């Protein structure tokens, strides 16, 4: 679908997707703020062509936001790669003297978490942590599943009323007796023989 036939409706749709405030969108689109504005907004929002155009514009906005988020994620990964590739030898001159920040390449400068007021390179970001983040991002090793709950952590009767717990206890007791098993905490039955 393309732009609506009536320019004022198209402007309304364009304005509405900015903040989803129909009244403000109508005013920004050129509708006169009068006592009849509420009725005009109501009619606009019930118009099938306007609803379809708003849905189309919202889909376009969502795609743009998704593309921007992907670009941001790509940028973050690129920065992590720069840090991971930073060569610590490039922080020093051949004679062993530390380089100033302005003498560092992009990868080395990205690896700095701070620098001294004198311009000397300061602390370097933890490279192992960066490599771990990259490895997790690219799925290089499986995540460990959480440990199963220990028997003490499981409450089989959680959410049951005391009466329901008694019924379950009695039924389990009858089943165990029928199988010839003594219940824990009960007196042992005399053996037949």
């Amino acid at each position: 679908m393309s732009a609506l036939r009536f320019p004022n409706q198209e402007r309304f749709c364009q304005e509405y997707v900015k903040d989803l405030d129909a009244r403000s969108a109508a005013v920004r689109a050129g509708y006169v703020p009068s006592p009849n504005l509420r009725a005009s907004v109501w009619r606009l929002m019930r118009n099938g062509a306007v609803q379809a155009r708003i849905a189309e514009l919202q889909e376009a906005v969502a795609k743009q936001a998704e593309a921007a988020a992907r670009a941001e994620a790509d940028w973050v990964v690129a920065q992590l790669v720069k840090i991971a590739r930073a060569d610590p030898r490039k922080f020093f001159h051949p004679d062993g003297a530390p380089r100033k920040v302005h003498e560092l390449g992009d990868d080395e400068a990205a690896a700095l978490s701070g620098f001294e007021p004198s311009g000397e390179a300061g602390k370097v970001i933890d490279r192992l942590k960066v490599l771990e983040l990259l490895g997790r991002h690219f799925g290089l090793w499986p995540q460990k599943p959480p440990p199963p709950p220990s028997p003490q952590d499981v409450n089989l009767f959680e959410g049951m009323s005391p009466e329901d717990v008694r019924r379950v206890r009695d039924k389990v007791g009858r089943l165990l007796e029928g199988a010839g098993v003594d219940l824990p905490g009960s007196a042992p039955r005399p053996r037949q023989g």
Side-chain angles (χ1 to χ4, degrees), residues 16-86:
Y16 179 77
V17 296
K18 290 179 181 176
D19 60 6
L20 306 179
D21 181 349
R23 186 183 184 292
S24 298
V27 171
R28 290 192 307 264
Y31 288 84
V32 179
S34 68
N36 296 333
L37 181 64
R38 186 175 186 168
S40 297
V41 168
W42 187 85
R43 278 192 305 277
L44 280 168
M45 293 303 291
R46 299 297 178 267
N47 183 318
V50 169
Q51 289 176 348
R53 181 65 176 147
I54 287 172
E56 180 183 346
L57 291 170
Q58 286 177 324
E59 186 177 324
V61 168
K63 284 181 181 178
Q64 287 174 343
E66 187 177 308
R70 260 195 317 274
E72 283 293 314
D74 291 345
W75 180 86
V76 168
V77 170
Q79 293 304 307
L80 289 171
V81 168
K82 269 186 183 182
I83 294 167
R85 288 184 176 162

Side-chain angles (χ1 to χ4, degrees), residues 74-117:
D74 291 345
W75 180 86
V76 168
V77 170
Q79 293 304 307
L80 289 171
V81 168
K82 269 186 183 182
I83 294 167
R85 288 184 176 162
D87 184 353
R89 296 172 295 184
K90 293 184 180 177
F91 285 98
F92 301 95
H93 289 284
D95 66 357
R99 292 185 187 267
K100 303 270 186 200
V101 173
H102 69 276
E103 298 173 323
L104 297 174
D106 289 343
D107 292 350
E108 288 73 31
L112 290 180
S113 65
F115 57 91
E116 302 298 324

